[in-house]
Amino acid sequence: MQRYNIIHRTYYNFSEEVQLGPHHLRLRPREDYELRIESFSLKISPNANLLWHRDAEGNSVATATFDLPAQQLVFESELIIQQYNESPLNFMVADYAINYPFSYLPDDQVLLSPYMQLPDQETQQMISLWAQTLWQGDEKIQTYTLLQRIASHIYQTQTYKLREEPGVQTAKDTLVCGTGSCRDFAQLFMDATKCMGLAARFVSGYLHAPGSDAAGATHAWAEVYLPGAGWKGFDPTIGEMAGTDHIPVAVARLSKSVPPIEGSFRGAPDSSLDVGVWVSKLP
């Protein structure tokens, strides 16, 4: 078991006082048998009324509403987690799904169908050409090996580029540009696996990254549903499976659905955003 301390600070500064609309916060990691929250604190300025709920995909979401106008909006969360996913390869796939291709069982298909929706026809054609070197139809290959190939291929052939602008590139744009951020690579991985008949979803969270200035960052990767093993994470930004250093906060069918913070305000449009994330290992 590994313990982590995570600090996430977000500052919005406005040119003059504005009226703040509701803000939806996805800052609390997903607790399960691999991850437990030891402590969690959330500070908001100005004071907010806070209501928590779980959305349709089981993510913890806090909705903050404000009574008074403000010229600065601050969110500061700090938490300690216990991460037990120290052996990401320690899983067992159902016999019928060990080798690719395979078909999900009928009952599973009903639940997984939203995560299997294909991209547009042009994107499918581009991905088909792009993936020709990864797998040939007559090749016997294990499902995990194919997924690892896709993640590694994105890592080896695409150039990482930090993008400050909001939103996620389409897989088509990423392939054309040859560059993207972690969320763009996750989208490309998802579309590639969907084109191969597999269910995939988007994951946003934190990454412990030794050697970086803050030793961590907000991050995005993808998960694929493997019968017998469940949802398993793959990170095409580093070309590996998600492991101990990956801390999932929210999952979604659509990559645009789970930003850490989203909200609105009424007033002068001039504003600035400053975000800092620190992820450190604890004894």
Side-chain angles (χ1 to χ4, degrees):
M1 184 268 288
Q2 178 61 59
R3 298 170 71 237
Y4 292 91
N5 178 249
I6 305 167
I7 299 173
H8 187 160
R9 294 173 178 161
T10 302
Y11 300 85
Y12 296 94
N13 292 291
F14 305 96
S15 57
E16 58 186 62
E17 282 195 340
V18 299
Q19 186 61 49
L20 299 168
H23 280 64
H24 305 290
L25 318 176
R26 299 174 186 87
L27 300 171
R28 186 181 177 91
R30 291 174 63 88
E31 290 185 274
D32 58 21
Y33 60 92
E34 292 180 339
L35 188 152
R36 298 174 188 171
I37 297 175
E38 188 175 309
S39 65
F40 177 81
S41 66
L42 175 61
K43 298 178 182 179
I44 303 174
S45 178
N47 290 333
N49 303 306
L50 204 62
L51 289 176
W52 286 90
H53 72 278
R54 285 193 180 274
D55 65 16
E57 304 203 57
N59 303 311
S60 294
V61 183
T63 299
T65 55
F66 304 88
D67 297 325
L68 299 175
Q71 195 166 346
Q72 183 184 59
L73 174 60
V74 178
F75 298 101
E76 296 183 339
S77 69
E78 182 170 2
L79 59 110
I80 296 175
I81 66 156
Q82 300 171 3
Q83 173 66 281
Y84 292 84
N85 185 23
E86 296 181 280
S87 301
L89 288 173
N90 187 22
F91 61 87
M92 184 176 294
V93 179
D95 289 346
Y96 70 89
I98 291 176
N99 294 317
Y100 179 84
F102 70 90
S103 296
Y104 292 114
L105 297 178
D107 286 348
D108 286 342
Q109 287 186 18
V110 173
L111 299 173
L112 296 173
S113 59
Y115 304 95
M116 299 174 68
Q117 293 184 357
L118 295 171
D120 61 84
Q121 190 65 38
E122 184 180 359
T123 301
Q124 291 182 53
Q125 292 172 352
M126 290 186 67
I127 288 176
S128 178
L129 291 172
W130 172 79
Q132 282 182 354
T133 60
L134 299 178
W135 174 73
Q136 300 298 321
D138 59 351
E139 177 188 359
K140 185 176 181 179
I141 187 171
Q142 289 192 349
T143 305
Y144 162 76
T145 302
L146 177 60
L147 293 171
Q148 185 58 47
R149 278 189 192 178
I150 298 171
S152 297
H153 190 60
I154 294 173
Y155 170 70
Q156 292 167 2
T157 61
Q158 304 292 312
T159 302
Y160 178 81
K161 181 181 179 181
L162 180 64
R163 294 197 306 108
E164 298 293 345
E165 60 269 25
V168 180
Q169 284 181 174
T170 63
K172 180 170 57 178
D173 287 342
T174 299
L175 289 175
V176 170
C177 297
T179 64
S181 66
C182 58
R183 60 189 186 275
D184 304 324
F185 294 159
Q187 181 67 59
L188 174 56
F189 181 92
M190 289 169 56
D191 283 347
T193 54
K194 288 178 182 179
C195 287
M196 294 177 176
L198 302 177
R201 67 185 184 184
F202 185 85
V203 188
S204 67
Y206 301 107
L207 177 68
H208 177 249
S212 67
D213 291 341
T218 55
H219 194 53
W221 58 99
E223 289 181 344
V224 175
Y225 187 80
L226 297 177
W231 290 100
K232 290 297 175 182
F234 291 83
D235 186 351
T237 302
I238 61 175
E240 299 176 2
M241 282 198 75
T244 310
D245 289 333
H246 293 75
I247 302 158
V249 172
V251 301
R253 179 177 67 89
L254 301 175
S255 54
K256 64 182 181 181
S257 301
V258 285
I261 298 173
E262 62 178 341
S264 62
F265 68 90
R266 297 195 307 273
D270 293 333
S271 64
S272 62
L273 170 64
D274 186 20
V275 179
V277 174
W278 295 265
V279 182
S280 57
K281 284 188 175 182
L282 297 175

